[in-house]
Amino acid sequence: MAQSVGIKDVARAAGVSVGTVSNVINRPDTVASETRARVLSAIDRLGYVRSESARQLRAGRSRIMGLLVLDMGNPFFVDVARGAERAAREAGLGVMVCNSAQSAGEEAEYLSLFAEQRVRGVLLTPTDASGRNIGAFRRHGIPFVLVDRVAEGAAECSVSVDDVAGGALAVRHLVDAGHRSIAYVSGPSGLNQVRDRRTGALNALAEAGLGPEALREIPTERLDVAAGRDAGARLLGLAERPTAVFCANDLLALGVLQAMYAAGVGVPDDLAIVGYDDIEFAAAAAVPLTSVRQPAVTIGALAAELLLEETEERGKQPHEHRRVVLQPELVVRRSSLPGR
């Protein structure tokens, strides 16, 4: 295996000191043009690439921002990453994107990696309901911003969407369409988003004079299409099948839609479906999916901007942590429209 070329190799080839090579790289104006040309020629000939990570560690300033999300298989988080990357790039930073896969263990490993790499800061969508991972990471003193989660204390910033309002939007729409028995296909109970969307659904039922029994919860261990298909199969097996279903995200809703299609159940005539996130595939489904839209790109960009603001201000003046809560929007498509 070829050995990497170091700064000492460049100095030897150019016949100069290591300090002169360093000056050519970092302060070229301080080096005579002839010497500078000789060093640059040696760098080009040897293929030397300076260690950016080592330079950053010496300076105590990383140009990398960490982003840890629940599931990069979910287009919602792809859009969050796009927004964060755009804001970071404008500030001259890069983004290291990692996927916890809804695993508290993997989340802990990636947070340790971020600490080892001394990243500038972290954008984090937590999966560990106990809060132990965040508590352990906080000891490293690396700033972080919670994404798609409201900060419960005043120790960090957060950017989220009002999921209680979003759940209410979805179920209020179904109630207005005449549905009185609704299923809620949820995800892992430890996720705040899942609980908040259920709370919103119950609020909408109460507004309509309906009790909590009007909402039949069908829990899932994951928030993906396969879990949605399984939930759809369980829904089909109910003795008294609800006439509508609200899903905690669009991937679950697409899985339920697939299960209904395979069983010959008409959507929306036999079962209305509403999802959450409004990913690109929602509008392109066989039956275009009604969904509660979250501004994913904006969430990522705002979170990155808050992190940049905090890290730029450190040492100058106290940073004031903020909780940004955006409002969702219901996008109505054919999957929930009453039969004509």
Side-chain angles (χ1 to χ4, degrees), residues 70 126-131 149 152 186-196 217 220-221 223:
L70 292 179
T127 191
D128 177 26
S130 72
R149 176 73 57 83
E152 296 180 359
S186 61
S189 59
L191 293 179
N192 287 9
Q193 298 93 322
V194 168
R195 296 197 300 268
D196 287 349
E217 185 166 358
T220 64
E221 293 184 358
L223 291 163

Coordinates of all heavy atoms in Angstrom, one line a residue, residues 70 126-131 149 152 186-196 217 220-221 223:
L70 N -33.1 10.0 11.9 CA -33.7 8.7 12.2 C -33.6 7.7 11.1 O -33.4 6.5 11.3 CB -35.1 8.9 12.5 CG -35.5 9.7 13.8 CD1 -37.0 9.8 14.0 CD2 -34.9 9.0 15.0
P126 N -33.2 12.9 17.7 CA -33.0 11.8 18.7 C -33.9 10.7 18.5 O -35.1 10.8 18.1 CB -33.2 12.5 20.1 CG -33.3 14.0 19.8 CD -33.8 14.1 18.4
T127 N -33.4 9.5 18.8 CA -34.2 8.3 18.8 C -34.3 7.7 20.2 O -35.2 6.9 20.5 CB -33.7 7.2 17.8 OG1 -34.7 6.2 17.6 CG2 -32.4 6.6 18.2
D128 N -33.3 8.0 21.0 CA -33.2 7.4 22.4 C -34.2 8.2 23.3 O -33.9 9.3 23.7 CB -31.8 7.5 22.9 CG -31.6 7.0 24.3 OD1 -32.5 6.2 24.7 OD2 -30.7 7.5 25.0
A129 N -35.3 7.5 23.6 CA -36.3 8.2 24.5 C -35.8 8.5 25.9 O -36.3 9.4 26.5 CB -37.5 7.3 24.5
S130 N -34.8 7.7 26.4 CA -34.3 7.9 27.7 C -33.5 9.2 27.9 O -33.4 9.8 29.0 CB -33.4 6.8 28.2 OG -32.2 6.8 27.5
G131 N -33.0 9.8 26.8 CA -32.2 11.0 26.9 C -30.8 10.7 27.3 O -30.0 11.7 27.4
R149 N -37.8 18.0 16.6 CA -38.0 17.7 18.0 C -37.9 19.1 18.8 O -37.0 19.8 18.6 CB -37.0 16.8 18.5 CG -37.1 16.4 20.0 CD -38.3 15.6 20.3 NE -38.2 14.3 19.5 CZ -37.5 13.2 19.9 NH1 -36.8 13.3 21.0 NH2 -37.5 12.2 19.2
E152 N -36.9 20.5 25.3 CA -37.7 20.5 26.5 C -37.1 21.5 27.5 O -37.8 22.1 28.3 CB -37.8 19.1 27.1 CG -38.6 18.2 26.2 CD -38.7 16.8 26.8 OE1 -38.2 16.6 27.9 OE2 -39.3 15.9 26.2
S186 N -49.5 4.2 14.0 CA -48.4 5.0 14.6 C -47.1 4.3 14.4 O -46.9 3.3 13.7 CB -48.7 5.1 16.1 OG -48.8 3.8 16.7
G187 N -46.1 4.9 15.1 CA -44.7 4.3 15.0 C -44.3 4.0 16.4 O -45.1 3.8 17.3
P188 N -42.9 3.9 16.6 CA -42.4 3.6 18.0 C -43.0 4.6 19.0 O -42.9 5.8 18.8 CB -40.9 3.8 17.8 CG -40.7 3.5 16.3 CD -41.9 4.0 15.6
S189 N -43.5 4.1 20.1 CA -44.1 4.9 21.1 C -43.1 5.9 21.8 O -43.5 6.9 22.4 CB -44.8 4.1 22.2 OG -43.8 3.2 22.8
G190 N -41.8 5.6 21.7 CA -40.9 6.5 22.3 C -40.6 7.8 21.6 O -40.0 8.7 22.1
L191 N -41.1 7.9 20.3 CA -40.9 9.1 19.5 C -41.9 10.1 19.9 O -43.1 9.9 19.8 CB -40.9 8.7 18.1 CG -39.8 7.8 17.5 CD1 -40.0 7.6 16.0 CD2 -38.4 8.5 17.8
N192 N -41.4 11.3 20.2 CA -42.3 12.4 20.6 C -43.3 12.7 19.4 O -44.4 13.1 19.6 CB -41.5 13.7 20.9 CG -40.9 13.6 22.3 OD1 -40.9 12.5 22.9 ND2 -40.3 14.7 22.7
Q193 N -42.7 12.7 18.2 CA -43.6 13.0 17.0 C -44.8 12.1 16.9 O -45.9 12.6 16.6 CB -42.8 12.8 15.7 CG -41.5 13.8 15.6 CD -40.3 13.1 16.1 OE1 -40.3 12.4 17.1 NE2 -39.2 13.4 15.5
V194 N -44.6 10.8 17.2 CA -45.7 9.9 17.1 C -46.8 10.2 18.2 O -48.0 10.2 17.9 CB -45.2 8.4 17.3 CG1 -46.3 7.4 17.6 CG2 -44.4 8.0 16.1
R195 N -46.3 10.5 19.4 CA -47.2 10.8 20.5 C -48.0 12.1 20.2 O -49.2 12.2 20.5 CB -46.5 10.9 21.8 CG -45.9 9.5 22.2 CD -45.5 9.6 23.7 NE -44.6 10.6 24.0 CZ -43.3 10.4 24.0 NH1 -42.7 9.3 23.7 NH2 -42.4 11.4 24.4
D196 N -47.2 13.1 19.7 CA -47.9 14.4 19.5 C -48.9 14.4 18.4 O -50.0 15.0 18.5 CB -46.8 15.5 19.1 CG -46.0 15.9 20.3 OD1 -46.3 15.5 21.5 OD2 -44.9 16.6 20.1
E217 N -55.8 2.8 17.5 CA -54.4 2.8 17.3 C -53.9 1.5 16.8 O -54.1 0.4 17.5 CB -53.6 3.3 18.5 CG -52.1 3.5 18.2 CD -51.4 4.3 19.2 OE1 -52.0 4.8 20.2 OE2 -50.2 4.5 19.1
T220 N -46.8 0.4 15.3 CA -45.7 -0.3 14.4 C -44.4 0.0 15.1 O -44.2 1.0 15.8 CB -45.7 0.3 13.0 OG1 -45.3 1.7 13.1 CG2 -47.0 0.2 12.3
E221 N -43.4 -0.9 14.9 CA -42.1 -0.8 15.5 C -41.2 0.2 14.6 O -40.2 0.7 15.2 CB -41.4 -2.1 15.6 CG -42.1 -3.1 16.6 CD -41.4 -4.4 16.7 OE1 -40.3 -4.6 16.0 OE2 -41.8 -5.2 17.6
L223 N -41.0 3.1 11.0 CA -41.8 4.1 10.3 C -41.5 3.9 8.8 O -41.1 4.9 8.1 CB -41.4 5.5 10.7 CG -41.9 5.9 12.1 CD1 -41.1 7.1 12.7 CD2 -43.4 6.2 12.2

